[in-house]
Amino acid sequence: MVTFKIERFNPDVDKAPYFQTYEVAAGKEMSVLEALFYVVENLDGSLAFRYSCRGAVCGSCAMRINGKNRLACQTLLKKLKSPVITVSPLPHLPIVKDLIVDMDHFFKNYEKIKPYLVNNTSAPEKERRQSILERAKIDEMIACILCGACFSACTVAATDKKFIGPAALTKAYRFWADSRDNLGDERLALVAGEHGALRCHTLFNCAEACPKNIVPTYSIQQLKGGLVKCRFSKPAK
Amino acid sequence: MGLHHQVIVVGAGLSGLRAALAAQQDGLDVAILSRVHPVRSHSIAAQGGINASLANAEGGRDDNWEKHAFDTIKGSDYLADQDAVEIMTKEAPGIVYEMEHWGTPFSRTIDGRIAQRPFGGAAFPRTCYAADITGHALLHTMYEKSVKEEIKVYEEYLLLSIVKHDNACVGIVALNINNGEIIAMSADAVIIASGGYGRIYGNSTNALINTGSGMAAAYLSAGVPLKDLEFVQFHPTSLYGTNILITEGARGEGGYLFNNRHERFMKNYAAKAMELAPRDIVARSIQTEINEGRCYNNAYVLLDLRHLGRKKIMERLPGIRDICLHFAGLDPINKPIPIQPGQHYSMGGIDTNANGETSLAGLFAAGEAACVSVHGGNRLGGNSLLDTIVFGKLSGHFASGYVKAKKKNAADQALQAELAKVKAKVSRLENSAGKENPAKVRSELKTTMMEEAGVFRTKAKLEAGLAKIKELKERYKQIHLLSKIKKYNLDLVRNLELEGKLALAEVIVLGALKREESRGSHFRTDYPTRNDEHWLKHTLAHHTESGPRLDYKAVTITRFRPQARTY
Amino acid sequence: MFDNLKKESVIAYQSGIGMWAFVLHRITGLSLIFYLLLHIVVISTSLKGPQPFNNLLAVLTAPPFVVADLALLAAILFHGLNGARIVIFDTGIGIRQQKLIFWLLLLPAVIIWIMTLYFTLPHIFR
Amino acid sequence: MKKAALLWLLQRVTAVLIFIVLGVHVYRVHYVELGQPILFAGIAIRLKSLLMLVIDSSLLFFGLFHGLNGLRTVLLDYDFFDRQEKLLSWVLSIIGIIFFILGVKGLWAFIIR
Ligand SMILES: Cc1cc2nc3c(=O)[nH]c(=O)nc-3n(C[C@H](O)[C@H](O)[C@H](O)COP(=O)(O)OP(=O)(O)OC[C@H]3O[C@@H](n4cnc5c(N)ncnc54)[C@H](O)[C@@H]3O)c2cc1C
Ligand code: HEM
Ligand code: SF4
Ligand code: F3S
Ligand code: FES
């Protein structure tokens, strides 16, 4: 038996979130996500959480488990090495119900950085060539699953509601650094200003939290460098 | 009346997004309805790649669409409709280049072209890939494009029913999972792109949301037939325990399969193609090794990547390594991976033609939910992602053609009537005083399907399976919900899905029972050979009150006559 | 305005080194600017002439204030060396080795501070 | 946009300058005569060296700029004065100027006597 302390909150009826305790009959290889299913199927059908792939690729199940933002499906109970497991929703995001948070703000920020490849030259008949080295530059960034763990862990994003946040900035870098994209300095303009890349104070919480081992700080630092250079060099057009 | 869109696409995976983009490009008002946020769709999980005869790879320079078509048709055990396969394989290079132009970060060759790897059942390295996260790379690009084009998405809505009026589809009824409200939406055309039903089975590589609810809605409420549902693909290599997929790319890159005698047992089954024989053959070989005891813990054999070396594994299969590290606690760089076959893909689906049209006017289907059929009895790896995009696009365009040509008919009443019916059904479920635990019904269904309708099938097993499913259907009527909360009621959602699962399971088993031959993924130990004389035909299952009614339809054969299938 | 200042927003979040470094950097930075303003006011007693200045300074170099000076030194050392760490990142170097760099820079800070303590102790217990 | 990047850069530049200047200042003032009482006359002698005068007054300038600009960052981080960002910058600049003048006058008082 493993004890689960799960944060519950239904804004329609509850005034404030509270913790509820469940005893889960844990299998040897059980993940936190499976334990949550155990709860809905056997103990409390009203518990709500998001899920889809159960294989750490879809980004649905990010939540706070024993004090860290993690993917529930990727976190095996045995790795937590703890008889009591505390689960709460991702901090700093509005709670929809129980472990489900409102990701609107997260995706609005994502949309701000024009999250798509822009190339104004006419498309060739075949592929746009890209060398292995050019492709390698964005290898880390394309692994992002938009789970929001980093955004929710970033204290700056929590206090400055306009801060674009690590995930969207990583995306911004992913396109800026893509040799096939030619939006160039305009991409930098999208992450400039008081609440853009420069607002990041290199906390590294994002890197600590990322379940895909991405270091958003790296991308953000490249953008900062770009911003400063572009401010003091003539924008290449 | 309330919500209306000219085209409603159900599903935001690759096929759904592509269909919506196509229809919007034609100037229509389009909306997508999806159970989850688009990037949470199951397409994200595809690893290995997407097939197109680009002829980029060393040793693949002679590739062309015809060879791709031949491999596909041979792989399908000649059950695929060859006209549709021709369309798909001709469109393939264009589709892949389009995705590349939209931004997909494909892996590259030395000269900067899209890299291609060998895949099972293909004569050339034809599978374009982005490391081992191809589905992720493609779905993100498709989503990015949809953000750019500002496609409207109704997120976290569950399709419950398709509304008919005057023999045409006029809209849908759906549950807003976020607040428990059930709503009707009218539409001039509906495209079902809701993916597969893998979770009917116990060991499945699929996402937990792949419950086939879209297929079930088409079958149960729209009354359109399901085609070839008995053809269920088992992937040879799913991670023992969680059944998370270990991509075919792992063998494509040179991985070996070993039994407990440290023997590359594939030499006994497909001496030439070895590990890269098509999926049905490799899955059966592994299952035979397991059944005959040449395995570990009575359950798995080993997939060995160690000889590929650290560098290649880190470069080409980093995601696989992560999966092994997190979910099995081992590093494939220095340990072989325990694997077993797992349910993976549905060759069958909603019966459509190559335009995505179903038998109901205004209702279209694409992607894994549909059966065009291009995969016939067995899908080749890398052909499904291709199928989703090609036929997603085509169905989007055909749907908009249909909408433009169609004259308006007021369907308000039909919508309201269906809405009332669905609401009544849901409240019956919510207030049921039955004693049955739905979790038990669900898990018994899973084991039944694994055991009675798995890799190897017999008359006796299938009959037992059918009887069990009938029993479970009765018990389903007696289930009670654990929660009646309106907002985000997982219990309700999962039990609504269960009804559809049971219906699809019955179709699968009945089709398999009737099909007295072995073809592609459908293997009957009591009829171990293919029988073209009687069975070179598609199964169509129609819903009736008393269960599925089956009839059959000819296979379209254009240039490739059926021959014996050896590898 | 204040609803952003919930406990978890300000206190270390993921309890990684980066977060603690940031919190301390911020606290020391704010202390330093506060100190600097005060320092300016103190020094500007020079405008009143040598005597008032010497009198004031005699008070401010008494043992209790020496202890405060040691705290000030710790703040300067931490803020300065961690600031150097941040500037190093800003040039694009060492981002993936952030933890190692943190400890490497903390080392001289601790050494200097302990040495200073060693030299100062006799003056505190005069 | 440009202002944000400029201030960000100046924060780093001043940081590096302070790092050097403050090192010299602390070493000269507090370590060379460790434990000695600090006397007006002693400071006067030190400040007659042009180098030390430059060091101390540039520390005054860079320190104020860096510190107050840092304070601005902190306040904006917590959404304070976000809408009155211009006002905030002005107020902080004025505080900076006042203290700079006070500081310079204080330093001169040691020399001109
Ligand atoms: C692990 C794995 C790896 C694979 N790898 C490859 C590969 O390498 N190459 C290849 O070609 N193929 C691969 N496949 C197959 C391929 O990924 C899928 O067949 C394909 O992605 C299906 O796409 P889709 O658009 O049809 O559906 P999905 O991507 O499954 O999307 C379904 C959508 O429908 C929505 N939906 C479902 N039901 C409802 C409902 N009732 N109401 C509202 N919305 C609903 C969901 O929210 C979702 O958005 C793989 C499959 C698996 C399981
Ligand atoms: C010793 C040399 C110093 C260095 C290398 C240094 C470096 C830095 C750097 C790089 C930052 C930016 C931090 C960020 O944006 O996250 C910063 C912030 C700050 N510094 Fe300094 N600094 C030094 C001395 C000082 C002094 C003397 C003061 C006081 C006058 C001071 C006060 C501040 C303040 C208030 C901040 C803002 C705090 C924050 O953003 O968290 N610093 N410092
Ligand atoms: S960067 Fe990492 S933590 Fe952030 S959204 Fe992407 S995958 Fe999640
Ligand atoms: S946690 Fe936040 S402040 Fe920067 S380094 Fe990461 S984005
Ligand atoms: S369920 Fe997809 S990431 Fe956990």
Side-chain angles (χ1 to χ4, degrees):
Chain A
M1 283 289 172
V2 174
T3 306
F4 270 78
K5 277 181 66 192
I6 302 178
E7 189 171 333
R8 304 296 308 272
F9 184 50
N10 180 354
D12 292 350
V13 288
D14 303 324
K15 282 209 193 68
Y18 59 96
F19 279 94
Q20 203 163 334
T21 307
Y22 302 96
E23 296 294 325
V24 173
K28 227 176 83 205
E29 303 285 324
M30 199 182 224
S31 67
V32 172
L33 188 66
E34 285 166 317
L36 294 176
F37 273 113
Y38 179 93
V39 173
V40 251
E41 288 190 348
N42 300 292
L43 306 173
D44 187 344
S46 69
L47 180 68
F49 52 91
R50 284 200 181 98
Y51 61 89
S52 171
C53 71
R54 71 79 179 78
V57 287
C58 76
S60 301
C61 67
M63 52 187 77
R64 193 158 169 78
I65 301 166
N66 278 3
K68 278 191 84 174
N69 290 356
R70 317 177 203 240
L71 296 178
C73 63
Q74 195 182 35
T75 309
L76 301 193
L77 302 189
K78 64 178 182 194
K79 281 202 192 130
L80 291 171
K81 293 196 183 79
S82 148
V84 181
I85 293 171
T86 314
V87 185
S88 35
L90 284 182
H92 307 319
L93 293 163
I95 301 176
V96 174
K97 179 166 179 258
D98 299 340
L99 303 172
I100 296 177
V101 291
D102 186 348
M103 299 281 282
D104 257 20
H105 180 50
F106 175 79
F107 278 106
K108 290 255 157 61
N109 278 332
Y110 165 85
E111 282 165 23
K112 275 186 204 156
I113 57 106
K114 295 202 178 166
Y116 38 81
L117 192 93
V118 179
N119 190 318
N120 309 321
T121 61
S122 62
E125 199 185 317
K126 295 191 169 180
E127 65 269 63
R128 289 201 165 89
R129 298 287 181 103
Q130 182 174 48
S131 75
I132 291 175
L133 278 176
E134 285 167 337
R135 168 62 176 68
K137 271 175 92 174
I138 56 171
D139 209 38
E140 173 181 319
M141 298 78 206
I142 61 168
C144 172
I145 56 175
L146 296 174
C147 68
C150 56
F151 183 77
S152 153
C154 174
T155 312
V156 179
T159 55
D160 175 4
K161 291 290 173 229
K162 291 188 205 140
F163 179 45
I164 295 178
L169 289 170
T170 303
K171 254 307 172 237
Y173 175 73
R174 174 249 177 278
F175 286 108
W176 184 57
D178 193 321
S179 60
R180 300 167 298 168
D181 188 275
N182 68 8
L183 205 51
D185 286 348
E186 223 180 292
R187 285 222 177 270
L188 291 175
L190 294 170
V191 298
E194 287 293 350
H195 306 283
L198 295 171
R199 175 86 7 208
C200 159
H201 298 300
T202 47
L203 261 63
F204 290 96
N205 280 355
C206 48
E208 265 341 293
C210 179
K212 301 311 266 182
N213 296 327
I214 297 167
V215 182
T217 322
Y218 176 83
S219 300
I220 299 173
Q221 292 300 88
Q222 309 305 310
L223 291 173
K224 287 179 185 170
L227 276 168
V228 169
K229 278 190 204 120
C230 144
R231 165 75 181 78
F232 295 102
S233 63
K234 279 224 161 47
K237 258 276 138 117
Chain B
M1 208 220 87
L3 292 160
H4 171 83
H5 294 281
Q6 285 178 299
V7 177
I8 291 181
V9 181
V10 180
L14 277 173
S15 54
L17 287 170
R18 190 63 188 86
L21 284 164
Q24 177 149 321
Q25 191 196 352
D26 293 338
L28 267 64
D29 160 36
V30 186
I32 293 181
L33 183 103
S34 175
R35 189 191 186 303
V36 292
H37 182 279
V39 301
R40 320 291 186 221
S41 300
H42 181 59
S43 296
I44 199 87
Q47 300 170 345
I50 177 168
N51 293 343
S53 52
L54 307 184
N56 280 353
E58 214 64 62
R61 302 270 191 246
D62 299 330
D63 205 5
N64 59 30
W65 73 263
E66 274 177 297
K67 289 175 178 158
H68 184 183
F70 173 71
D71 286 343
T72 302
I73 289 160
K74 182 180 172 195
S76 81
D77 226 350
Y78 296 92
L79 191 66
D81 285 327
Q82 301 190 359
D83 52 343
V85 174
E86 280 182 31
I87 294 176
M88 180 174 85
T89 51
K90 274 185 200 158
E91 288 266 334
I95 285 288
V96 169
Y97 289 138
E98 181 178 66
M99 289 308 292
E100 197 277 337
H101 294 156
W102 288 354
T104 306
F106 284 108
S107 294
R108 298 287 166 160
T109 61
I110 306 273
D111 55 354
R113 299 173 208 248
I114 295 172
Q116 296 185 282
R117 61 162 54 120
F119 242 45
F124 299 99
R126 184 186 291 140
T127 305
C128 313
Y129 63 94
D132 54 2
I133 55 165
T134 313
H136 178 284
L138 290 169
L139 185 64
H140 271 245
T141 304
M142 199 70 96
Y143 174 62
E144 284 154 8
K145 180 75 178 165
S146 80
V147 168
K148 183 176 184 188
E149 304 300 337
E150 298 178 11
I151 302 257
K152 163 122 188 92
V153 183
Y154 292 91
E155 239 173 73
E156 302 192 323
Y157 279 72
L158 181 73
L159 170 75
L160 295 180
S161 171
I162 294 162
V163 188
K164 286 196 291 190
H165 178 63
D166 265 357
N167 285 325
C169 170
V170 292
I172 56 162
V173 173
L175 170 75
N176 179 348
I177 302 176
N178 255 298
N179 61 13
E181 214 180 315
I182 296 168
I183 54 152
M185 282 177 154
S186 81
D188 299 326
V190 172
I191 303 176
I192 304 291
S194 57
Y197 54 63
R199 286 290 155 178
I200 296 179
Y201 278 82
N203 296 347
S204 173
T205 62
N206 282 200
L208 301 175
I209 58 164
N210 278 17
T211 55
S213 49
M215 275 187 213
Y219 170 68
L220 294 173
S221 61
V224 300
L226 298 176
K227 183 159 71 187
D228 292 341
L229 226 59
E230 64 268 31
F231 291 97
V232 180
Q233 179 162 80
F234 289 83
H235 197 288
T237 57
S238 77
L239 189 64
Y240 168 65
T242 55
N243 296 104
I244 294 175
L245 183 77
I246 304 298
T247 174
E248 187 161 323
R251 281 168 290 137
E253 296 295 347
Y256 296 150
L257 288 169
F258 287 113
N259 60 18
N260 68 349
R261 299 176 185 167
H262 203 73
E263 185 185 19
R264 272 180 78 189
F265 57 84
M266 279 313 297
K267 70 178 192 291
N268 305 328
Y269 303 91
K272 230 167 77 202
M274 291 298 283
E275 279 84 359
L276 282 180
R279 289 184 178 169
D280 54 334
I281 295 175
V282 183
R284 276 197 294 276
S285 311
I286 296 175
Q287 195 62 48
T288 307
E289 295 296 306
I290 294 173
N291 291 351
E292 295 176 1
R294 292 184 294 278
C295 60
Y296 298 85
N297 281 354
N298 269 330
Y300 60 86
V301 297
L302 296 176
L303 171 64
D304 197 345
L305 304 181
R306 288 175 297 179
H307 57 285
L308 303 182
R310 163 179 283 272
K311 186 164 171 285
K312 193 161 180 183
I313 292 176
M314 298 292 274
E315 213 173 86
R316 307 272 177 87
L317 303 164
I320 293 301
R321 180 167 180 259
D322 269 356
I323 290 170
C324 292
L325 287 173
H326 285 292
F327 293 95
L330 66 87
D331 188 341
I333 292 173
N334 47 43
K335 254 189 153 167
I337 311 169
I339 55 98
Q340 61 181 187
Q343 187 287 343
H344 182 59
Y345 183 79
S346 161
M347 268 72 73
I350 302 168
D351 175 33
T352 70
N353 59 18
N355 305 340
E357 293 164 309
T358 68
S359 62
L360 179 67
L363 183 66
F364 296 76
E368 194 172 337
C371 177
V372 175
S373 120
V374 285
H375 308 304
N378 170 61
R379 165 178 79 91
L380 292 188
N383 264 355
S384 166
L385 292 177
L386 180 62
D387 163 16
T388 60
I389 303 180
V390 170
F391 293 105
K393 175 176 155 188
L394 292 178
S395 64
H397 286 311
F398 277 98
S400 47
Y402 166 85
V403 170
K404 284 177 181 165
K406 158 186 170 161
K407 51 181 190 313
K408 299 272 165 282
N409 63 349
D412 234 37
Q413 268 187 338
L415 279 165
Q416 288 308 331
E418 186 67 19
L419 181 62
K421 213 171 102 192
V422 172
K423 277 186 175 167
K425 185 176 96 176
V426 171
S427 76
R428 212 161 44 240
L429 187 62
E430 279 174 340
N431 300 316
S432 154
K435 290 276 172 291
E436 192 62 56
N437 179 354
K440 270 184 74 186
V441 176
R442 204 174 305 132
S443 79
E444 283 178 36
L445 174 65
K446 285 176 169 182
T447 35
T448 305
M449 292 306 282
M450 254 350 261
E451 276 162 22
E452 319 293 9
V455 177
F456 293 109
R457 301 162 172 187
T458 64
K459 181 161 189 266
K461 280 187 181 183
L462 290 164
E463 277 173 347
L466 197 59
K468 182 74 186 178
I469 291 166
K470 292 219 163 96
E471 175 206 317
L472 292 174
K473 275 176 83 175
E474 283 309 310
R475 283 166 57 191
Y476 176 79
K477 293 181 186 152
Q478 300 302 322
I479 62 168
H480 70 271
L481 294 191
L482 290 170
S483 165
K484 296 188 171 96
I485 286 189
K486 286 285 168 210
K487 198 185 202 101
Y488 242 107
N489 189 337
L490 288 190
D491 198 31
L492 176 65
V493 168
R494 297 178 77 216
N495 288 315
L496 287 167
E497 289 174 333
L498 181 55
E499 185 190 8
K501 278 176 156 183
L502 287 163
L504 297 184
E506 194 178 11
V507 175
I508 295 170
V509 174
L510 187 66
L513 178 63
K514 295 291 177 217
R515 187 176 279 274
E516 296 181 332
E517 65 157 352
S518 290
R519 179 187 300 274
S521 68
H522 171 68
F523 195 89
R524 288 278 300 256
T525 27
D526 41 0
Y527 299 94
T529 51
R530 195 172 83 196
N531 181 347
D532 285 338
E533 202 182 320
H534 283 103
W535 289 104
L536 187 56
K537 57 188 182 188
H538 299 294
T539 309
L540 292 182
H542 305 262
H543 169 65
T544 71
E545 279 312 312
S546 55
R549 173 175 61 79
L550 302 188
D551 60 19
Y552 295 91
K553 179 163 117 176
V555 173
T556 312
I557 291 180
T558 54
R559 46 175 86 203
F560 304 107
R561 291 274 120 212
Q563 340 165 340
R565 182 166 164 256
T566 52
Y567 288 93
Chain C
M1 183 191 270
F2 287 95
D3 60 340
N4 290 329
L5 287 173
K6 287 201 211 101
K7 189 180 86 225
E8 71 263 35
S9 319
V10 191
I11 302 289
Y13 170 72
Q14 205 86 9
S15 61
I17 285 170
M19 180 70 193
W20 287 113
F22 164 76
V23 170
L24 286 175
H25 191 81
R26 181 148 281 190
I27 293 172
T28 52
L30 291 173
S31 316
L32 286 177
I33 180 64
F34 183 70
Y35 169 80
L36 178 62
L37 298 181
L38 211 68
H39 191 56
I40 293 172
V41 173
V42 167
I43 299 295
S44 62
T45 40
S46 61
L47 291 169
K48 298 192 188 126
Q51 210 47 49
F53 181 85
N54 287 347
N55 290 346
L56 182 61
L57 265 284
V59 176
L60 293 182
T61 45
F65 287 96
V66 177
V67 176
D69 275 351
L70 280 171
L72 174 68
L73 178 69
I76 291 179
L77 284 171
F78 181 86
H79 189 95
L81 288 168
N82 188 55
R85 171 171 161 272
I86 295 170
V87 175
I88 292 172
F89 297 153
D90 289 334
T91 59
I93 301 168
I95 292 156
R96 290 174 205 283
Q97 293 80 36
Q98 59 113 348
K99 293 186 182 176
L100 178 68
I101 295 178
F102 178 82
W103 295 119
L104 284 181
L105 287 173
L106 205 62
L107 200 66
V110 171
I111 293 174
I112 296 176
W113 193 80
I114 290 181
M115 276 171 55
T116 313
L117 183 69
Y118 176 75
F119 289 126
T120 329
L121 277 180
H123 300 288
I124 298 179
F125 304 106
R126 242 180 317 198
Chain D
M1 167 205 166
K2 297 195 165 165
K3 182 169 153 198
L6 182 64
L7 288 180
W8 183 87
L9 182 66
L10 288 178
Q11 185 74 352
R12 320 288 131 166
V13 172
T14 50
V16 174
L17 292 172
I18 296 171
F19 195 87
I20 301 161
V21 176
L22 183 63
V24 178
H25 172 85
V26 172
Y27 176 75
R28 180 67 185 75
V29 176
H30 298 280
Y31 285 82
V32 171
E33 296 149 55
L34 192 75
Q36 306 297 314
I38 296 172
L39 294 173
F40 189 97
I43 297 177
I45 292 169
R46 178 161 55 84
L47 286 179
K48 292 240 161 73
S49 135
L50 183 66
L51 182 67
M52 285 317 293
L53 184 65
V54 169
I55 294 254
D56 279 13
S57 27
S58 54
L59 179 59
L60 181 64
F61 180 80
F62 296 136
L64 278 170
F65 179 89
H66 179 95
L68 292 171
N69 188 37
L71 185 60
R72 174 180 171 279
T73 312
V74 175
L75 292 174
L76 290 180
D77 264 358
Y78 297 108
D79 272 1
F80 290 109
F81 305 108
D82 182 46
R83 263 180 232 123
Q84 302 90 0
E85 186 275 322
K86 282 225 168 73
L87 178 71
L88 174 67
S89 302
W90 275 111
V91 169
L92 289 174
S93 314
I94 290 168
I95 295 177
I97 291 167
I98 291 173
F99 275 87
F100 183 66
I101 293 173
L102 186 62
V104 169
K105 281 174 82 177
L107 285 178
W108 276 110
F110 288 102
I111 304 166
I112 307 177
R113 191 150 267 273

